[in-house]
Amino acid sequence: MNGSDHSTYELLRQLADSWVLMGMAAIFLLLVVWPFLPGMKRKSDAAATMIFKDENDGQ
């Protein structure tokens, strides 16, 4: 292994330890907050009751 391989490894490790970790945390927080946004209640309720939509239709 020469010196350039080692420095590439160190660079990728530093990126993974800092920026990639912060990016993953930001995506996680976005996905956690998404259902609680103001316009999402109606869509969430519709998705939750979608399986019962045709249960009593036609009877």
Side-chain angles (χ1 to χ4, degrees):
M1 187 184 298
N2 61 23
S4 65
D5 290 337
H6 183 68
S7 62
T8 303
Y9 169 77
E10 289 296 325
L11 174 67
L12 292 175
R13 182 173 172 211
Q14 287 177 348
L15 286 173
D17 286 346
S18 58
W19 293 106
V20 176
L21 182 61
M22 288 192 314
M24 289 173 52
I27 291 171
F28 174 77
L29 289 174
L30 177 69
L31 291 174
V32 168
V33 171
W34 188 283
F36 300 104
L37 292 175
M40 295 303 293
K41 174 139 176 66
R42 183 175 40 89
K43 291 179 183 179
S44 296
D45 289 342
T49 59
M50 182 177 14
I51 62 169
F52 303 115
K53 179 181 176 206
D54 296 328
E55 186 174 291
N56 293 325
D57 290 349
Q59 291 184 10

